[in-house]
């Protein structure tokens, strides 16, 4: 309505219609149809009298993104993956034999990042929608969306997650060597920009990251302090010790615990030395004597006093001391023995499980491959008979400290000795694609399970992992297994048909992945 029209006849007519609707048309001497017709006329009249609002300021353009878009065929493939459509020529037949395109999207994003591409402009909204629905996609999707993705996220409340998702926005980050620009963005930027900036500064000059953090540390929120502190894991060094030691006095328990964990990953740190002194007083060749109390010094150094349900206090404290002590301290304690020899020693009074589990956590935290190998033991040994741990989850963490080749060789030996049913977690830490010895071991184990008439549905998780991780070159070897055969004696009914369908899906997915990677290759 135009300004100055308050109280006009048009306004009074509208009020009379509202009154009639509230009191009822019979009491006002009219019909419902007439009331609706009059309301429609008055609504149109009111809208026609409105003055347009003043135009809002146009948003500033998104920062330029110098990265190239992927080749046209790869862009079409991304659109297909985002839509979740089945690829043409992907095997047809029953639905179960078609590749699951949504599971290939993370691999497309990872390959695009390796080639240094940015998202095609028209697909940025769909990419943000996918990242909103799937948190596992967010880091890669937001990195690919870059500055344009952040620009759009500021305009659409449904994409606001991107503003706290750790994406830096590509070209928006200043040169890490430009101190003034870095300080300005650190003071004024969005959380996502600050996280990315801290990472860029860390990569440029590791010692500059804690100095930057210190400028605003006292005013940061506890959850932000925790995330910033966690970012120091990358490039962690002795130069971070003063900042981390100061963080042991932080008002947030989670921040204190993270600072203590990071310090314990530095074997030469003062905290590691204090933990070594405590641990060595508890564990020796002849006896294990857990601490009698959790004193103030232990609390400050990150020891959690209250154990979880089912754990004794003293055992809980002992495990924390041993996992935080530098592994190098045990060589002298055990007369110069190697890690493998130390792990093989009997542990007094039934403390073996507690001590070995703590050593496993220490080996993972300190990235000590020699201790990890000792604790893993031979891959051919039964899964529950490892010298250091019977947990496959712990073994998977230990494997991550080895080189990619050592990891693949150990898991391949494990698969050959024990099959695939126990290997799911271990396969998950191997470099993709599974090629060479590991790829052959997985394919042979799947074939052996099929020939034995094993219950096929119990392998669905491994088959799904194989679709994403096997080298696409294995498709030709698997082609012979796609034909349906008769069920072996004593096999589950329909097992042969299931295996044939599963292998059809596996082969189709591997070939689709091969085509996808070829499309992403830069033009010659």
């Amino acid at each position: 309505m135009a300004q100055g029209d308050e109280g006009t006849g048009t306004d009074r007519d509208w009020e009379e219609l509202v009154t009639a609707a509230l009191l009822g048309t019979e009491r006002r001497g009219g019909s419902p149809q007439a009331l609706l017709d009059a309301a429609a006329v008055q609504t149109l009249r009111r809208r026609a009298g409105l003055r347009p609002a003043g135009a809002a300021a146009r948003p500033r353009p998104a920062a330029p993104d110098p990265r190239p878009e992927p080749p046209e065929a790869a862009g079409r493939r991304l659109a297909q993956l985002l839509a979740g459509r089945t690829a043409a020529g992907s095997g047809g037949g029953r639905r179960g034999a078609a590749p699951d395109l949504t599971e290939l999207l993370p691999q497309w994003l990872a390959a695009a990042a390796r080639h240094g591409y940015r998202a095609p402009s028209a697909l940025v909204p769909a990419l943000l929608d996918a990242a909103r629905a799937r948190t596992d996609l967010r880091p890669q999707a937001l990195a690919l969306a870059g500055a344009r993705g952040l620009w759009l996220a500021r305009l659409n409340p449904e994409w606001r997650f991107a503003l706290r998702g750790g994406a830096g926005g590509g070209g928006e980050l200043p040169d890490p060597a430009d101190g003034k620009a870095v300080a300005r963005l650190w003071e004024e930027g969005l959380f996502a920009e600050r996280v990315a900036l801290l990472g860029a500064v860390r990569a440029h000059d590791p010692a500059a990251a804690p100095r930057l953090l210190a400028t605003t540390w006292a005013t940061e929120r506890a959850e932000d302090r925790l995330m910033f502190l966690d970012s120091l894991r990358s490039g962690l060094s002795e130069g971070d010790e003063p900042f981390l030691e100061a963080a042991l006095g932080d008002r947030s328990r989670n921040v204190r615990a993270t600072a203590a964990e990071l310090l314990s990953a530095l074997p030469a740190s003062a905290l590691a030395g204090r933990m070594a002194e405590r641990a060595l007083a508890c564990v020796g060749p002849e006896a294990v004597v857990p601490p009698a109390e959790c004193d103030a010094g232990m609390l400050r150094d990150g020891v959690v006093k209250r154990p979880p349900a089912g754990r004794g206090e003293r055992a809980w404290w002992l495990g924390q001391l041993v996992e935080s002590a530098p592994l190098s301290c045990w060589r002298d304690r055990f007369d110069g023995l190697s890690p493998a020899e130390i792990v093989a020693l009997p542990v007094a009074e039934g403390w073996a499980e507690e001590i070995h589990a703590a050593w496993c956590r220490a080996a993972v935290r300190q990235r000590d491959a020699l201790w990890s190998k000792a604790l893993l033991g031979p891959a051919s040994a039964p899964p529950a008979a490892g010298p250091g741990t019977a947990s496959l989850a712990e073994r998977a963490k230990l494997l991550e400290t080895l080189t990619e080749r050592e990891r693949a060789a150990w898991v391949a030996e494990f698969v050959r000795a024990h099959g695939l049913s126990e290997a799911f977690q271990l396969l998950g830490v191997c470099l993709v694609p599974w090629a060479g010895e590991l790829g052959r071991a997985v394919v042979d184990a799947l074939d052996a399970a099929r020939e034995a008439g094993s219950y096929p549905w119990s392998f669905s998780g491994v088959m799904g992992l194989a679709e994403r991780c096997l080298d696409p070159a294995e498709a030709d070897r698997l082609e012979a297994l796609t034909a349906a055969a008769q069920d072996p004696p004593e096999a589950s009914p329909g097992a042969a048909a299931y295996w044939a369908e599963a292998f059809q899906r596996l082969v189709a997915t591997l070939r689709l992945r091969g085509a996808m990677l070829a499309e992403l290759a830069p033009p010659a």
Side-chain angles (χ1 to χ4, degrees):
M1 187 185 301
Q3 294 180 358
D5 284 347
E6 297 293 337
T8 63
T10 300
D11 206 32
R12 288 193 298 272
D13 291 344
W14 181 257
E15 290 177 359
E16 290 179 2
L17 289 172
V18 172
T19 301
L22 292 173
L23 296 177
T25 55
E26 294 180 357
R27 297 179 60 182
R28 301 292 291 184
S31 67
Q33 184 62 47
L35 176 65
L36 292 175
D37 289 343
V41 171
Q42 292 296 336
T43 298
L44 182 60
R45 180 181 297 174
R46 287 165 63 89
R47 289 177 178 174
L50 288 174
R51 292 179 179 176
R58 295 179 62 183
R60 295 172 56 189
D65 191 334
R67 298 174 298 174
E69 288 194 3
E72 185 177 348
R76 289 196 299 269
R77 181 73 69 185
L78 175 60
Q80 183 185 56
L81 295 177
L82 288 170
R85 295 192 299 271
T86 300
S90 61
R94 286 183 287 184
R95 182 181 179 186
D100 184 353
L101 299 190
T102 60
E103 292 302 319
L104 296 181
L105 183 55
Q107 292 199 14
W108 192 100
L109 296 175
R114 289 195 298 271
H115 288 300
Y117 293 130
R118 62 178 170 87
S121 300
L123 295 179
V124 173
L127 193 60
L128 290 173
D129 281 339
R132 179 168 63 93
R134 292 180 56 179
T135 56
D136 62 306
L137 294 177
R138 287 185 183 178
Q140 291 176 323
L142 296 179
L144 193 74
R148 185 158 297 180
L150 277 182
W151 183 85
L152 286 172
R154 294 188 185 98
L155 303 175
N156 185 345
E158 292 188 349
W159 297 332
R160 288 299 173 91
F161 68 88
L163 304 181
R164 293 188 60 85
E172 293 191 352
L173 291 181
D175 183 343
D178 186 343
K180 290 184 178 180
V182 166
R184 182 167 56 251
L185 183 59
W186 183 251
E187 292 282 352
E188 302 173 2
L190 298 167
F191 180 77
E193 295 168 327
R194 299 178 74 211
V195 170
L197 177 64
L198 186 63
V201 169
R202 183 72 160 175
H204 174 72
D205 180 4
R211 291 200 300 269
L212 182 64
L213 272 176
T215 62
T216 59
W217 186 255
T219 60
E220 302 287 358
R221 300 187 309 168
E223 56 266 38
D224 293 347
R225 292 200 307 278
L226 183 62
M227 290 193 68
F228 288 141
L229 194 64
D230 199 61
S231 70
L232 296 184
R233 294 181 190 277
S234 176
L236 185 68
S237 71
E238 286 75 12
D240 299 317
E241 184 178 358
F243 182 83
L244 295 173
E245 186 75 25
L248 290 176
D250 195 88
R251 56 189 181 274
S252 165
R253 183 180 65 181
N254 290 334
V255 171
R256 295 195 302 271
T258 300
E261 180 188 346
L262 293 174
L263 284 167
S264 68
L266 298 171
S269 69
L271 179 138
R274 296 192 295 269
M275 289 299 199
E277 184 178 354
R278 295 171 180 131
L280 291 172
C282 296
V283 180
E286 304 298 332
V288 174
V289 182
E293 63 174 340
C294 183
D295 58 33
M298 291 166 61
L299 289 172
R300 184 182 184 276
D301 285 343
V303 175
V304 178
K305 185 174 184 177
R306 190 171 182 177
R311 294 288 302 277
E313 280 187 338
R314 299 181 70 191
W316 171 245
W317 301 333
L318 175 65
Q320 293 179 78
L321 297 183
V322 173
E323 74 180 69
S324 300
L327 290 164
S328 57
C329 75
W330 301 109
R331 178 178 288 274
D332 291 338
R333 189 71 168 114
F334 288 93
D335 300 323
L337 295 180
S338 69
E341 291 169 328
I342 294 172
V343 169
L345 290 174
V347 181
E349 302 173 10
W351 286 99
E353 183 177 350
E354 190 73 50
I355 299 299
H356 285 164
W359 278 338
C360 286
R361 296 191 295 272
V364 171
R365 186 178 299 180
Q366 298 172 36
R367 311 300 296 173
D368 193 309
L370 196 61
W371 270 88
S372 292
K373 291 175 185 177
L375 292 159
L376 279 166
S380 57
T389 173
S391 164
L392 289 172
E394 288 178 322
R395 285 186 165 194
K397 293 177 181 178
L398 292 170
L399 282 169
E400 291 182 321
T401 69
L402 308 186
T403 66
E404 293 167 355
R405 179 172 294 183
E406 290 172 328
R407 204 180 305 170
W410 197 94
V411 176
E413 182 183 351
F414 185 95
V415 169
R416 287 193 295 268
H418 311 295
L420 290 169
S421 59
E422 298 279 356
F424 188 83
Q425 287 179 292
L426 306 179
L427 288 166
V429 301
C430 292
L431 179 70
V432 175
W434 301 337
E437 182 182 9
L438 179 59
R440 289 192 297 273
V442 170
V443 171
D444 290 345
L446 287 172
D447 189 20
R450 179 190 64 87
E451 289 186 345
S454 300
Y455 192 65
W457 295 274
S458 63
F459 288 86
S460 58
V462 175
M463 290 294 284
L465 196 60
E467 290 172 12
R468 300 189 295 274
C469 301
L470 266 176
D471 190 334
E474 295 288 344
D476 291 339
R477 283 187 62 205
L478 289 161
E479 182 66 46
L481 305 179
T482 60
Q486 295 295 320
D487 289 334
E490 301 181 1
S492 303
Y498 173 90
W499 280 111
E501 183 180 86
F503 280 121
Q504 290 166 16
R505 177 187 174 109
L506 178 55
V507 169
T509 303
L510 292 178
R511 289 190 168 141
L512 179 57
R513 282 176 51 213
M516 183 178 79
L517 295 175
E519 292 163 355
L520 280 163

Short mmCIF file of all heavy atoms in Angstrom, two decimals, residues 339-345 347 351-363 370-378 381-396 398 410:
data_model
loop_
_atom_site.label_atom_id
_atom_site.label_comp_id
_atom_site.label_asym_id
_atom_site.label_seq_id
_atom_site.Cartn_x
_atom_site.Cartn_y
_atom_site.Cartn_z
N PRO A 339 62.28 -53.42 20.87
CA PRO A 339 60.83 -53.42 21.11
C PRO A 339 60.20 -54.81 20.98
O PRO A 339 59.35 -55.18 21.80
CB PRO A 339 60.31 -52.46 20.04
CG PRO A 339 61.44 -51.50 19.83
CD PRO A 339 62.67 -52.33 19.95
N ALA A 340 60.61 -55.58 19.97
CA ALA A 340 60.03 -56.91 19.80
C ALA A 340 60.36 -57.81 20.98
O ALA A 340 59.51 -58.59 21.44
CB ALA A 340 60.54 -57.54 18.50
N GLU A 341 61.58 -57.69 21.51
CA GLU A 341 61.98 -58.50 22.66
C GLU A 341 61.24 -58.05 23.93
O GLU A 341 60.85 -58.89 24.76
CB GLU A 341 63.49 -58.40 22.86
CG GLU A 341 64.28 -59.09 21.75
CD GLU A 341 65.77 -58.76 21.80
OE1 GLU A 341 66.12 -57.62 22.23
OE2 GLU A 341 66.58 -59.62 21.40
N ILE A 342 61.05 -56.76 24.07
CA ILE A 342 60.32 -56.25 25.24
C ILE A 342 58.87 -56.74 25.21
O ILE A 342 58.32 -57.19 26.22
CB ILE A 342 60.39 -54.72 25.29
CG1 ILE A 342 61.82 -54.25 25.53
CG2 ILE A 342 59.47 -54.17 26.38
CD1 ILE A 342 62.01 -52.75 25.40
N VAL A 343 58.24 -56.64 24.04
CA VAL A 343 56.83 -57.03 23.92
C VAL A 343 56.66 -58.52 24.19
O VAL A 343 55.63 -58.96 24.71
CB VAL A 343 56.31 -56.65 22.52
CG1 VAL A 343 54.95 -57.28 22.26
CG2 VAL A 343 56.21 -55.14 22.38
N ALA A 344 57.69 -59.33 23.84
CA ALA A 344 57.59 -60.77 24.01
C ALA A 344 57.79 -61.20 25.46
O ALA A 344 57.50 -62.36 25.81
CB ALA A 344 58.62 -61.47 23.12
N LEU A 345 58.28 -60.32 26.33
CA LEU A 345 58.52 -60.69 27.72
C LEU A 345 57.21 -60.95 28.45
O LEU A 345 56.19 -60.30 28.18
CB LEU A 345 59.28 -59.56 28.44
CG LEU A 345 60.74 -59.33 28.05
CD1 LEU A 345 61.25 -58.09 28.75
CD2 LEU A 345 61.59 -60.54 28.41
N VAL A 347 54.63 -60.41 31.41
CA VAL A 347 54.33 -59.25 32.24
C VAL A 347 53.76 -59.75 33.56
O VAL A 347 52.86 -60.59 33.59
CB VAL A 347 53.35 -58.29 31.56
CG1 VAL A 347 53.08 -57.08 32.45
CG2 VAL A 347 53.92 -57.83 30.22
N TRP A 351 49.20 -58.11 34.20
CA TRP A 351 49.09 -56.75 33.69
C TRP A 351 49.40 -56.66 32.19
O TRP A 351 49.47 -55.56 31.65
CB TRP A 351 50.04 -55.82 34.45
CG TRP A 351 49.58 -55.50 35.83
CD1 TRP A 351 50.00 -56.07 37.00
CD2 TRP A 351 48.60 -54.53 36.19
NE1 TRP A 351 49.34 -55.52 38.07
CE2 TRP A 351 48.47 -54.57 37.61
CE3 TRP A 351 47.81 -53.64 35.47
CZ2 TRP A 351 47.58 -53.74 38.29
CZ3 TRP A 351 46.93 -52.82 36.17
CH2 TRP A 351 46.81 -52.88 37.56
N ALA A 352 49.59 -57.79 31.52
CA ALA A 352 50.03 -57.76 30.12
C ALA A 352 49.06 -56.99 29.23
O ALA A 352 49.48 -56.15 28.41
CB ALA A 352 50.21 -59.18 29.60
N GLU A 353 47.77 -57.27 29.35
CA GLU A 353 46.79 -56.62 28.46
C GLU A 353 46.80 -55.11 28.64
O GLU A 353 46.79 -54.35 27.67
CB GLU A 353 45.41 -57.18 28.73
CG GLU A 353 44.33 -56.62 27.81
CD GLU A 353 42.97 -57.25 28.05
OE1 GLU A 353 42.89 -58.25 28.80
OE2 GLU A 353 41.98 -56.73 27.49
N GLU A 354 46.86 -54.66 29.89
CA GLU A 354 46.85 -53.21 30.16
C GLU A 354 48.11 -52.54 29.63
O GLU A 354 48.04 -51.48 28.98
CB GLU A 354 46.75 -52.99 31.67
CG GLU A 354 46.48 -51.55 32.08
CD GLU A 354 45.07 -51.12 31.79
OE1 GLU A 354 44.13 -51.84 32.17
OE2 GLU A 354 44.91 -50.05 31.16
N ILE A 355 49.28 -53.15 29.88
CA ILE A 355 50.55 -52.55 29.46
C ILE A 355 50.67 -52.55 27.95
O ILE A 355 51.06 -51.56 27.32
CB ILE A 355 51.74 -53.29 30.11
CG1 ILE A 355 51.67 -53.19 31.63
CG2 ILE A 355 53.06 -52.73 29.59
CD1 ILE A 355 51.74 -51.78 32.16
N HIS A 356 50.34 -53.69 27.31
CA HIS A 356 50.45 -53.78 25.85
C HIS A 356 49.49 -52.82 25.16
O HIS A 356 49.83 -52.20 24.15
CB HIS A 356 50.19 -55.22 25.39
CG HIS A 356 51.33 -56.14 25.68
ND1 HIS A 356 51.21 -57.50 25.67
CD2 HIS A 356 52.62 -55.88 26.00
CE1 HIS A 356 52.38 -58.06 25.96
NE2 HIS A 356 53.25 -57.10 26.16
N ALA A 357 48.28 -52.69 25.68
CA ALA A 357 47.32 -51.75 25.08
C ALA A 357 47.84 -50.32 25.19
O ALA A 357 47.69 -49.52 24.26
CB ALA A 357 45.96 -51.88 25.75
N ALA A 358 48.46 -49.98 26.33
CA ALA A 358 49.02 -48.64 26.48
C ALA A 358 50.19 -48.41 25.54
O ALA A 358 50.36 -47.33 24.97
CB ALA A 358 49.46 -48.43 27.93
N TRP A 359 51.02 -49.43 25.34
CA TRP A 359 52.12 -49.31 24.37
C TRP A 359 51.58 -49.12 22.95
O TRP A 359 52.17 -48.39 22.15
CB TRP A 359 53.01 -50.55 24.44
CG TRP A 359 54.02 -50.50 25.57
CD1 TRP A 359 54.47 -49.40 26.21
CD2 TRP A 359 54.67 -51.62 26.18
NE1 TRP A 359 55.39 -49.75 27.19
CE2 TRP A 359 55.53 -51.12 27.19
CE3 TRP A 359 54.63 -53.00 25.98
CZ2 TRP A 359 56.34 -51.93 27.98
CZ3 TRP A 359 55.43 -53.82 26.77
CH2 TRP A 359 56.27 -53.30 27.75
N CYS A 360 50.48 -49.80 22.64
CA CYS A 360 49.86 -49.60 21.32
C CYS A 360 49.45 -48.14 21.13
O CYS A 360 49.73 -47.54 20.09
CB CYS A 360 48.64 -50.51 21.17
SG CYS A 360 48.99 -52.25 20.90
N ARG A 361 48.82 -47.58 22.13
CA ARG A 361 48.39 -46.18 22.02
C ARG A 361 49.60 -45.25 21.91
O ARG A 361 49.57 -44.26 21.16
CB ARG A 361 47.51 -45.80 23.21
CG ARG A 361 46.20 -46.57 23.28
CD ARG A 361 45.24 -45.98 24.30
NE ARG A 361 45.72 -46.09 25.67
CZ ARG A 361 45.51 -47.13 26.47
NH1 ARG A 361 44.83 -48.19 26.02
NH2 ARG A 361 45.96 -47.13 27.71
N ALA A 362 50.66 -45.58 22.64
CA ALA A 362 51.88 -44.76 22.56
C ALA A 362 52.52 -44.86 21.18
O ALA A 362 52.99 -43.85 20.62
CB ALA A 362 52.86 -45.21 23.64
N ALA A 363 52.56 -46.06 20.60
CA ALA A 363 53.16 -46.23 19.28
C ALA A 363 52.40 -45.45 18.23
O ALA A 363 52.99 -44.86 17.32
CB ALA A 363 53.21 -47.72 18.92
N LEU A 370 58.71 -48.98 14.50
CA LEU A 370 59.40 -50.14 15.05
C LEU A 370 58.57 -50.78 16.16
O LEU A 370 58.40 -52.01 16.21
CB LEU A 370 60.78 -49.71 15.58
CG LEU A 370 61.78 -50.84 15.85
CD1 LEU A 370 62.07 -51.61 14.57
CD2 LEU A 370 63.08 -50.28 16.44
N TRP A 371 58.05 -49.96 17.05
CA TRP A 371 57.19 -50.50 18.09
C TRP A 371 55.88 -51.03 17.51
O TRP A 371 55.35 -52.05 17.97
CB TRP A 371 56.89 -49.42 19.14
CG TRP A 371 57.91 -49.40 20.25
CD1 TRP A 371 59.09 -48.72 20.29
CD2 TRP A 371 57.82 -50.11 21.49
NE1 TRP A 371 59.74 -48.95 21.47
CE2 TRP A 371 58.99 -49.79 22.23
CE3 TRP A 371 56.89 -50.95 22.06
CZ2 TRP A 371 59.24 -50.31 23.50
CZ3 TRP A 371 57.12 -51.48 23.34
CH2 TRP A 371 58.29 -51.15 24.03
N SER A 372 55.35 -50.38 16.50
CA SER A 372 54.11 -50.86 15.88
C SER A 372 54.30 -52.25 15.30
O SER A 372 53.43 -53.13 15.47
CB SER A 372 53.67 -49.88 14.79
OG SER A 372 53.26 -48.65 15.34
N LYS A 373 55.42 -52.48 14.62
CA LYS A 373 55.67 -53.81 14.06
C LYS A 373 55.77 -54.86 15.16
O LYS A 373 55.27 -55.99 15.02
CB LYS A 373 56.95 -53.79 13.23
CG LYS A 373 56.85 -52.97 11.95
CD LYS A 373 58.21 -52.91 11.26
CE LYS A 373 58.17 -51.99 10.04
NZ LYS A 373 59.50 -51.85 9.40
N ALA A 374 56.43 -54.50 16.26
CA ALA A 374 56.56 -55.45 17.37
C ALA A 374 55.20 -55.79 17.96
O ALA A 374 54.92 -56.95 18.29
CB ALA A 374 57.49 -54.86 18.43
N LEU A 375 54.35 -54.80 18.09
CA LEU A 375 53.03 -55.01 18.69
C LEU A 375 52.07 -55.71 17.74
O LEU A 375 51.16 -56.43 18.18
CB LEU A 375 52.45 -53.67 19.15
CG LEU A 375 53.20 -53.04 20.34
CD1 LEU A 375 52.92 -51.54 20.42
CD2 LEU A 375 52.80 -53.72 21.65
N LEU A 376 52.24 -55.49 16.44
CA LEU A 376 51.40 -56.17 15.46
C LEU A 376 51.70 -57.66 15.42
O LEU A 376 50.79 -58.49 15.32
CB LEU A 376 51.62 -55.58 14.07
CG LEU A 376 50.91 -54.29 13.73
CD1 LEU A 376 51.49 -53.65 12.48
CD2 LEU A 376 49.41 -54.53 13.56
N GLY A 377 52.98 -58.01 15.47
CA GLY A 377 53.36 -59.40 15.33
C GLY A 377 53.18 -59.89 13.91
O GLY A 377 52.81 -59.11 13.01
N PRO A 378 53.39 -61.17 13.65
CA PRO A 378 53.22 -61.70 12.29
C PRO A 378 51.76 -61.70 11.87
O PRO A 378 50.88 -62.04 12.67
CB PRO A 378 53.79 -63.12 12.38
CG PRO A 378 53.68 -63.48 13.82
CD PRO A 378 53.86 -62.21 14.60
N ALA A 381 49.68 -64.96 12.31
CA ALA A 381 49.23 -65.44 13.62
C ALA A 381 47.72 -65.24 13.75
O ALA A 381 47.15 -64.32 13.15
CB ALA A 381 49.95 -64.68 14.73
N PRO A 382 47.05 -66.09 14.52
CA PRO A 382 45.60 -65.90 14.71
C PRO A 382 45.30 -64.50 15.21
O PRO A 382 46.07 -63.94 16.00
CB PRO A 382 45.25 -66.96 15.77
CG PRO A 382 46.31 -68.01 15.62
CD PRO A 382 47.55 -67.27 15.22
N PRO A 383 44.20 -63.90 14.77
CA PRO A 383 43.89 -62.51 15.14
C PRO A 383 43.88 -62.25 16.64
O PRO A 383 44.18 -61.16 17.08
CB PRO A 383 42.50 -62.29 14.53
CG PRO A 383 42.44 -63.25 13.39
CD PRO A 383 43.22 -64.45 13.83
N ALA A 384 43.54 -63.25 17.44
CA ALA A 384 43.47 -63.04 18.89
C ALA A 384 44.76 -63.40 19.61
O ALA A 384 44.80 -63.43 20.83
CB ALA A 384 42.32 -63.87 19.47
N ALA A 385 45.83 -63.68 18.85
CA ALA A 385 47.07 -64.14 19.48
C ALA A 385 48.24 -63.21 19.24
O ALA A 385 49.38 -63.59 19.40
CB ALA A 385 47.41 -65.54 18.97
N GLY A 386 47.97 -61.97 18.83
CA GLY A 386 49.07 -61.03 18.61
C GLY A 386 49.78 -60.72 19.92
O GLY A 386 49.18 -60.74 20.99
N PRO A 387 51.08 -60.45 19.88
CA PRO A 387 51.82 -60.23 21.12
C PRO A 387 51.41 -58.95 21.83
O PRO A 387 51.55 -58.83 23.03
CB PRO A 387 53.28 -60.13 20.64
CG PRO A 387 53.17 -59.70 19.20
CD PRO A 387 51.93 -60.34 18.68
N GLY A 388 50.90 -57.97 21.08
CA GLY A 388 50.60 -56.70 21.71
C GLY A 388 49.13 -56.43 21.90
O GLY A 388 48.73 -55.78 22.85
N THR A 389 48.30 -56.95 21.02
CA THR A 389 46.88 -56.62 21.11
C THR A 389 46.06 -57.64 20.34
O THR A 389 46.49 -58.15 19.30
CB THR A 389 46.59 -55.22 20.54
OG1 THR A 389 45.18 -55.03 20.51
CG2 THR A 389 47.11 -55.05 19.13
N ALA A 390 44.88 -57.94 20.86
CA ALA A 390 43.96 -58.83 20.16
C ALA A 390 42.90 -58.05 19.41
O ALA A 390 42.04 -58.63 18.77
CB ALA A 390 43.30 -59.79 21.16
N SER A 391 42.94 -56.73 19.47
CA SER A 391 41.90 -55.91 18.85
C SER A 391 42.29 -55.54 17.43
O SER A 391 43.36 -54.98 17.18
CB SER A 391 41.71 -54.63 19.68
OG SER A 391 41.00 -53.67 18.96
N LEU A 392 41.40 -55.85 16.48
CA LEU A 392 41.65 -55.47 15.09
C LEU A 392 41.62 -53.96 14.92
O LEU A 392 42.33 -53.41 14.08
CB LEU A 392 40.63 -56.14 14.18
CG LEU A 392 40.79 -57.65 14.00
CD1 LEU A 392 39.61 -58.22 13.23
CD2 LEU A 392 42.09 -57.98 13.29
N ALA A 393 40.79 -53.27 15.72
CA ALA A 393 40.76 -51.81 15.63
C ALA A 393 42.11 -51.22 16.03
O ALA A 393 42.61 -50.29 15.39
CB ALA A 393 39.66 -51.27 16.53
N GLU A 394 42.73 -51.77 17.08
CA GLU A 394 44.06 -51.30 17.48
C GLU A 394 45.11 -51.66 16.44
O GLU A 394 46.03 -50.88 16.15
CB GLU A 394 44.43 -51.88 18.84
CG GLU A 394 43.65 -51.27 19.99
CD GLU A 394 44.00 -51.91 21.32
OE1 GLU A 394 44.20 -53.14 21.36
OE2 GLU A 394 44.07 -51.17 22.31
N ARG A 395 44.99 -52.84 15.86
CA ARG A 395 45.93 -53.21 14.81
C ARG A 395 45.83 -52.26 13.62
O ARG A 395 46.84 -51.91 13.00
CB ARG A 395 45.67 -54.66 14.35
CG ARG A 395 46.15 -55.70 15.34
CD ARG A 395 45.99 -57.11 14.78
NE ARG A 395 46.77 -58.07 15.56
CZ ARG A 395 47.04 -59.31 15.16
NH1 ARG A 395 46.59 -59.72 13.98
NH2 ARG A 395 47.74 -60.12 15.91
N ALA A 396 44.62 -51.87 13.27
CA ALA A 396 44.45 -50.94 12.15
C ALA A 396 45.16 -49.62 12.45
O ALA A 396 45.81 -49.03 11.56
CB ALA A 396 42.96 -50.69 11.89
N LEU A 398 47.77 -49.22 14.43
CA LEU A 398 49.22 -49.48 14.36
C LEU A 398 49.69 -49.52 12.91
O LEU A 398 50.77 -49.03 12.58
CB LEU A 398 49.55 -50.80 15.06
CG LEU A 398 49.38 -50.84 16.58
CD1 LEU A 398 49.52 -52.26 17.09
CD2 LEU A 398 50.40 -49.93 17.25
N TRP A 410 51.52 -56.42 4.87
CA TRP A 410 51.05 -57.07 6.09
C TRP A 410 49.58 -57.49 5.94
O TRP A 410 49.21 -58.61 6.32
CB TRP A 410 51.22 -56.12 7.27
CG TRP A 410 51.15 -56.77 8.61
CD1 TRP A 410 52.20 -57.23 9.37
CD2 TRP A 410 49.96 -57.06 9.38
NE1 TRP A 410 51.75 -57.77 10.54
CE2 TRP A 410 50.37 -57.68 10.58
CE3 TRP A 410 48.61 -56.85 9.16
CZ2 TRP A 410 49.47 -58.10 11.55
CZ3 TRP A 410 47.70 -57.28 10.12
CH2 TRP A 410 48.13 -57.89 11.30
#
